[in-house]
Amino acid sequence: MLKKLTNVNVWVHDQEEALAFYTEKLGMEVRADVTLPELGGFRWLTVGLPGQDDVALALMTVPGPPVFDDETRAALETLVAKGAAGGLFFSVDDCQSAYEELVKRGVEFSQEPTEQPYGIDAGFRDASGNHFRMAQSR
């Protein structure tokens, strides 16, 4: 049976740009960065939050055939750029101060910290356009 979730794919347009965003702006650490020439230069790049070693984000470029045909690949890249392919939630202790710190680092927010029934949350985008939320629970 399934044991635990270890990696979550995040589609990115450029792995170098994504690496800089996730490490320099969000403060994540590199977990794996391996290029496999035997697989056409496929790069397995993962990052994670310091102190949370059991879950990583796999920063993956949208693959072509045989995984996706060219039409699907193009459509998925468009959806990523529009923020329609994200959906991860990050937990923070203080949403307002996390927001202010990330703005200083150049993170683009789509929503400032807002009171919600479950706490305070805000929305931001990565360098590829993926939309994410961060929330301070009550």
Side-chain angles (χ1 to χ4, degrees), residues 82-96:
K82 292 181 177 181
L88 299 179
F89 262 80
F90 294 96
S91 175
V92 295
D93 291 330
D94 182 333
C95 192
Q96 183 64 41

Side-chain angles (χ1 to χ4, degrees), residues 3-137:
K3 188 174 173 185
K4 65 180 181 178
L5 178 66
T6 58
N7 293 288
V8 177
N9 273 5
V10 175
W11 299 121
V12 299
H13 296 294
D14 180 306
Q15 287 180 304
E16 278 305 309
E17 182 181 51
L19 178 60
F21 179 85
Y22 285 86
T23 58
E24 296 169 16
K25 293 186 178 182
L26 297 187
M28 292 186 176
E29 58 190 19
V30 175
R31 299 283 172 75
D33 189 357
V34 179
T35 300
L36 303 170
E38 65 272 20
L39 294 178
F42 171 80
R43 183 178 180 191
W44 177 247
L45 174 61
T46 67
V47 296
L49 292 168
Q52 187 180 18
D53 298 334
D54 59 343
V55 178
L57 301 181
L59 306 177
M60 307 295 293
T61 56
V62 180
V67 177
F68 296 122
D69 61 35
D70 290 335
E71 182 180 338
T72 302
R73 178 183 184 179
L76 188 50
E77 288 179 335
T78 299
L79 290 172
V80 168
K82 292 181 177 181
L88 299 179
F89 262 80
F90 294 96
S91 175
V92 295
D93 291 330
D94 182 333
C95 192
Q96 183 64 41
S97 47
Y99 165 79
E100 291 169 5
E101 178 61 30
L102 292 173
V103 167
K104 284 182 195 172
R105 295 180 185 186
V107 174
E108 174 193 343
F109 275 80
S110 56
Q111 180 188 328
E112 295 180 1
T114 304
E115 289 280 344
Q116 303 289 353
Y118 50 83
I120 302 170
D121 80 345
F124 63 94
R125 293 179 179 270
D126 72 3
S128 293
N130 288 299
H131 181 79
F132 301 112
R133 310 234 21 117
M134 64 178 190
Q136 170 189 339
S137 299

